[in-house]
């Protein structure tokens, strides 16, 4: 076997950058795409010190011709689709862009793979948001989808496209249904990074009030660098399948806030208030995943739970200040 080539769509995001780092360490030739590779800073690749090792190409996922050209040019063994509008909150403001970038983008990749006829293995970034409100039972691969946001609707459509191409055309295509996973590479518009950044500023003397939406929501938070390993493992199996990737433990947003301020020796109640304007039109009150299939079939399990994730994010934020 020669050197494998991986194409990562959405390489400039949190998961794309960590996956690129992981695959480079495995000896892969890594190529990444961005809508405009000449103009993109690829800041996350720079932060991880791997920008020079990654080849980048411009590709518009909503343009079939562009996708096909890149597949023919790169001739990848594996394609990881991590691209598309990634914010649940923003999807209420940009529903059309969200649906096109996720559902149409995924369809173009699958159709281009089918068109080339090459034995490409395809990974699609699914989302726990597809499940909607699951009551109090952790979701597994058989839990029905009840999407509650334009983002979740788009991710649900992409999931079924993948299943359809796998069954109809025998393409090796998988979806990883990933629950929330965080890291220092998270953009600041994400609530976890917003909390960590604000708390660190307060600890360093800034007079800052942190305003949050609903702090009673519960989420299953993991560590992003571990989650990209699961993506890789899915494409190394003899058969393509879909997997829930999660820690199996759920914590409230309030618990995340308490843990963050505790790391810095602060009482969160002195600095945090709830703002009704930040509540979403529809939100999921409880989210938790059952990763037992991934443990059994992939040998994957999460080693870091929410308290460790918070500590690592805080430590990193303090180093950057």
């Amino acid at each position: 076997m020669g050197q494998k080539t991986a194409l990562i769509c959405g390489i400039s995001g949190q998961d794309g950058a960590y996956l690129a780092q992981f695959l480079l360490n495995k000896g892969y030739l890594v190529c990444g795409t961005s809508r405009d590779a000449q103009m993109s800073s690829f800041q996350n690749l720079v932060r991880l010190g791997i920008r020079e090792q990654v080849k980048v190409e411009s590709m518009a996922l909503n343009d079939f011709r562009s996708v096909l050209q890149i597949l023919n040019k790169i001739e990848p063994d594996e394609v990881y689709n991590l691209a598309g509008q990634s914010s649940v909150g923003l999807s209420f403001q940009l529903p059309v862009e969200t649906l096109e970038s996720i559902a149409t983008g995924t369809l173009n990749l699958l159709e281009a793979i089918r068109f080339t006829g090459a034995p490409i293995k395809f990974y699609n970034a699914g989302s726990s948001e597809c499940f909607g409100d699951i009551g109090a039972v952790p979701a597994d691969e058989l839990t029905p989808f009840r999407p509650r946001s334009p983002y979740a609707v788009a991710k649900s459509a992409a999931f079924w496209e993948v299943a359809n191409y796998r069954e109809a055309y025998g393409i090796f295509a998988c979806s990883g249904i990933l629950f929330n996973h965080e890291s220092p590479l998270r953009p600041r518009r994400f609530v976890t990074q917003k909390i960590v950044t604000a708390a660190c500023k307060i600890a360093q003397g800034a007079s800052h009030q942190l305003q949050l939406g609903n702090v009673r929501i519960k989420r299953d938070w993991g560590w992003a660098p571990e989650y990209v390993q699961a993506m890789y493992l899915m494409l190394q199996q003899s058969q393509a399948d879909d997997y829930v990737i999660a820690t199996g433990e759920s914590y409230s947003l309030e618990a995340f806030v308490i843990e963050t301020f505790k790391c810095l020796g602060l009482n969160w109640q002195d600095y945090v208030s709830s703002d009704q304007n930040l509540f979403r039109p529809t939100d999921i009150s409880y989210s938790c995943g059952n990763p037992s299939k991934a443990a059994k079939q992939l040998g994957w399990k999460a080693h870091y739970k929410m308290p460790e994730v918070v500590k690592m994010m805080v430590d990193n934020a303090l180093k950057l200040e």
Side-chain angles (χ1 to χ4, degrees):
M1 285 294 288
Q3 186 182 34
K4 277 190 183 174
T5 300
L7 177 65
I8 303 175
C9 309
I11 198 166
S12 50
Q14 165 189 265
D15 292 6
Y18 282 121
L19 179 63
Q21 184 180 51
F22 179 77
L23 293 175
L24 285 167
N25 289 336
K26 288 263 176 213
Y28 275 66
L29 187 69
V30 177
C31 181
T33 69
S34 165
R35 195 180 289 266
D36 188 341
Q38 271 64 53
M39 293 300 287
S40 281
S41 65
F42 296 103
Q43 202 48 47
N44 285 335
L45 299 180
V46 174
R47 277 181 70 179
L48 294 180
I50 57 171
R51 173 63 191 90
E52 299 311 312
Q53 294 161 261
V54 173
K55 186 180 179 192
V56 295
E57 296 283 352
S58 298
M59 183 176 83
L61 266 179
N62 58 358
D63 177 351
F64 178 74
R65 187 169 166 271
S66 167
V67 174
L68 189 59
Q69 275 181 324
I70 292 299
L71 281 191
N72 283 328
K73 182 177 178 183
I74 304 300
E75 297 184 327
D77 298 285
E78 298 172 359
V79 172
Y80 295 86
N81 178 27
L82 314 178
Q85 201 289 102
S86 62
S87 163
V88 176
L90 198 57
S91 77
F92 286 99
Q93 294 163 45
L94 303 172
V96 178
E97 148 74 9
T98 301
L99 191 75
E100 283 185 353
S101 68
I102 294 170
T104 308
T106 305
L107 188 58
N108 279 338
L109 278 164
L110 287 163
E111 186 62 8
I113 288 169
R114 183 175 83 88
F115 198 80
T116 64
I120 295 169
K121 292 186 169 187
F122 179 70
Y123 171 84
N124 176 57
S127 171
S128 61
E129 290 285 329
C130 297
F131 295 122
D133 262 323
I134 54 173
V137 184
D140 63 20
E141 293 77 8
L142 299 176
T143 303
F145 285 174
R146 292 192 179 88
R148 301 199 62 187
S149 65
Y151 172 84
V153 168
K155 284 289 185 186
S156 300
F159 175 90
W160 292 115
E161 289 164 5
V162 169
N164 184 241
Y165 271 70
R166 183 168 64 223
E167 289 165 16
Y169 306 116
I171 289 171
F172 193 109
C174 315
S175 287
I177 308 169
L178 271 59
F179 279 70
N180 296 57
H181 47 291
E182 310 301 322
S183 80
L185 299 188
R186 261 284 186 236
R188 289 196 178 179
R189 71 164 181 267
F190 284 83
V191 70
T192 47
Q193 192 68 293
K194 180 180 168 181
I195 293 163
V196 169
T197 304
C200 289
K201 281 184 175 155
I202 291 163
Q204 284 159 342
S207 56
H208 195 78
Q209 272 293 316
L210 176 59
Q211 292 193 311
L212 297 171
N214 183 3
V215 294
R216 292 205 165 80
I217 59 159
K218 289 190 163 181
R219 293 290 182 269
D220 183 330
W221 277 294
W223 182 238
E226 286 196 309
Y227 282 42
V228 301
Q229 296 173 25
M231 301 174 185
Y232 161 80
L233 288 169
M234 284 177 217
L235 297 197
Q236 312 316 309
Q237 305 308 302
S238 55
Q239 274 192 305
D241 207 347
D242 306 317
Y243 298 87
V244 163
I245 302 298
T247 70
E249 289 181 18
S250 197
Y251 295 86
S252 68
L253 186 62
E254 186 174 275
F256 192 102
V257 173
I258 292 167
E259 196 64 41
T260 305
F261 280 82
K262 197 171 87 183
C263 279
L264 296 156
L266 298 168
N267 178 8
W268 71 283
Q269 283 163 311
D270 298 338
Y271 307 101
V272 180
S273 58
S274 187
D275 179 358
Q276 286 292 134
N277 294 324
L278 295 174
F279 280 51
R280 285 178 187 158
T282 50
D283 211 340
I284 296 166
S285 54
Y286 171 83
S287 178
C288 186
N290 173 0
S292 56
K293 180 178 167 183
K296 198 166 147 197
Q297 294 186 21
L298 304 177
W300 181 92
K301 86 186 230 298
H303 295 99
Y304 300 109
K305 310 289 168 73
M306 185 276 281
E308 293 91 0
V309 170
V310 168
K311 187 171 184 331
M312 291 188 287
M313 287 181 75
V314 168
D315 288 348
N316 191 276
L318 290 174
K319 266 191 226 136
L320 292 177
E321 291 299 331

